[in-house]
Amino acid sequence: MKKQTKFGLMKFLSPSDEPISFLVVESLEYIPLIRRAFPNAELAAVTENEDAPRVKEWEGLNVSWEILDYTAEPLPFPKESFDYILSEHLLELAGNPQDIAAGFSRFIK
C-alpha cells in the first residue's frame, strides 16, 4: 500500500521566482506544491503511470512528462540537468535506495 505523504520535503525548500529546474520521480502529488512555490521553475516528471499527464489536478501546471519504467530504463535527461530531484516514495520503497540516489546524482547540477 502506498504511504500517504505529508509533503515533508517541502520544508527543505525556500520558495523562489528563480528559473530553477525540478525532476519529480513518482512523488507526483508534490507537483502542485512545487509549481506554487516555484512559479518559474522548469518541471519534469517521471512515472510509470500512463494516465498521470491527464490527471485534472496537474492540468495547466506546465510539466514535461516522461512515462517509463525508470528501474529498467535510463532517464532520458542530460547529465547535470536539474537543480532539485524529488523522489520521496521511490527511495522509501526501493530495496537499494543508495544505488538509486547515486544514479540520480548524475542529473543534479
Side-chain angles (χ1 to χ4, degrees):
M1 185 166 112
K2 187 175 173 181
K3 182 180 172 182
Q4 184 66 25
T5 187
K6 296 199 186 296
F7 305 109
L9 294 178
M10 292 302 290
K11 69 182 174 188
F12 297 105
L13 302 172
S14 297
S16 172
D17 289 332
E18 296 295 316
I20 59 176
S21 55
F22 278 87
L23 172 60
V24 178
V25 181
E26 288 300 352
S27 295
L28 306 180
E29 63 276 4
Y30 276 93
I31 289 173
L33 295 171
I34 292 169
R35 179 54 69 210
R36 281 194 298 272
F38 302 91
N40 297 316
E42 180 182 324
L43 188 52
V46 175
T47 182
E48 293 179 306
N49 181 351
E50 293 179 8
D51 296 324
R54 294 182 292 282
V55 171
K56 189 155 188 79
E57 181 183 1
W58 302 321
E59 285 180 9
L61 295 181
N62 194 23
V63 178
S64 174
W65 292 94
E66 293 290 338
I67 310 299
L68 58 89
D69 178 358
Y70 45 83
T71 62
E73 299 176 53
L75 295 178
F77 308 108
K79 290 181 180 178
E80 301 179 2
S81 303
F82 300 100
D83 294 297
Y84 296 98
I85 298 176
L86 196 148
S87 184
E88 180 178 25
H89 300 303
L90 179 62
L91 293 176
E92 286 180 353
L93 300 174
N96 56 348
Q98 68 281 358
D99 292 343
I100 291 170
F104 284 168
S105 70
R106 291 179 281 175
F107 300 104
I108 294 284
K109 290 180 182 177

